[in-house]
């Protein structure tokens, strides 16, 4: 069995290889990888800036600059929270949703040859913190 440093290396390598592959599709659309991460999070619904910062792995200042750019491009808009005006919620615009869908289709087509078998699905579920019964079943073998 490999150790934690091997896992760190393999996850880093996988992230960089996938990012390099995504960059080809994203560059055609003039979209950065960080912007893509944010748009992907917003495609599932509006989010508070603090949550976006955490889930997109961006410091608050960098996220604010990125959101400013996405607002200028009319891809997202911001609104203060109804209950706490200090909290800012970010939403996709209709143009942003179309932009996301177009890029998402391109990425899915480009990654069609990546093997996404049961093992990878279980690993993704585990990394996301979702129940992955396939891991529990394997550990009992």
């Amino acid at each position: 069995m490999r150790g934690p440093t091997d896992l760190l290396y393999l996850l880093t390598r996988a992230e960089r290889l996938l990012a390099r592959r995504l960059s080809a599709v994203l560059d055609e659309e003039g979209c950065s990888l960080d912007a893509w991460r944010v748009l992907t999070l917003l495609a599932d619904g509006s989010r508070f800036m603090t949550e976006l910062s955490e889930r997109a792995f961006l410091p608050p200042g960098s996220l604010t600059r990125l959101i400013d750019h996405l607002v200028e491009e009319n891809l997202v808009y911001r609104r203060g929270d109804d209950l706490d005006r200090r909290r800012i919620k970010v939403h996709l615009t209709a143009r942003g949703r179309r932009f996301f869908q177009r890029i998402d289709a391109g990425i899915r087509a480009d990654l069609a040859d990546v093997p996404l078998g049961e093992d990878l699905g279980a690993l993704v579920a585990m990394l996301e913190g979702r129940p992955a019964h396939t891991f529990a079943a394997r550990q009992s073998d």
Side-chain angles (χ1 to χ4, degrees), residues 48-50 79-82 84-89:
F48 288 107
M49 289 286 285
T50 50
R79 291 283 183 261
D81 183 39
D82 292 336
D84 184 352
R85 287 290 184 191
R86 294 170 296 177
R87 297 183 69 193
I88 304 297
K89 206 167 205 179

Side-chain angles (χ1 to χ4, degrees), residues 33-70:
L33 187 58
D34 286 337
W36 175 246
R37 284 187 184 117
V38 169
L39 293 172
T40 299
L41 290 167
L42 293 174
D44 289 337
S46 59
R47 309 243 184 216
F48 288 107
M49 289 286 285
T50 50
E51 181 186 2
L52 282 175
S53 178
E54 291 169 8
R55 298 209 44 207
F57 306 106
L58 290 170
S62 297
L63 177 65
T64 298
R65 285 187 296 279
L66 177 60
I67 294 297
D68 288 345
H69 172 74
L70 296 174

Side-chain angles (χ1 to χ4, degrees), residues 51-138:
E51 181 186 2
L52 282 175
S53 178
E54 291 169 8
R55 298 209 44 207
F57 306 106
L58 290 170
S62 297
L63 177 65
T64 298
R65 285 187 296 279
L66 177 60
I67 294 297
D68 288 345
H69 172 74
L70 296 174
V71 166
E72 288 173 12
E73 297 293 319
N74 191 27
L75 298 174
V76 303
Y77 65 96
R78 293 178 275 224
R79 291 283 183 261
D81 183 39
D82 292 336
L83 300 176
D84 184 352
R85 287 290 184 191
R86 294 170 296 177
R87 297 183 69 193
I88 304 297
K89 206 167 205 179
V90 183
H91 311 262
L92 276 181
T93 63
R95 182 175 187 265
R97 180 146 319 273
R98 289 188 305 273
F99 185 71
F100 167 79
Q101 290 169 341
R102 184 175 64 241
I103 295 175
D104 187 55
I107 287 173
R108 288 178 187 275
D110 188 65
L111 297 179
D113 64 329
V114 175
L116 299 174
E118 185 177 309
D119 289 342
L120 182 57
L123 176 60
V124 168
M126 184 185 76
L127 291 172
E128 289 180 337
R130 290 183 285 142
H133 54 60
T134 54
F135 280 109
R138 285 200 182 132

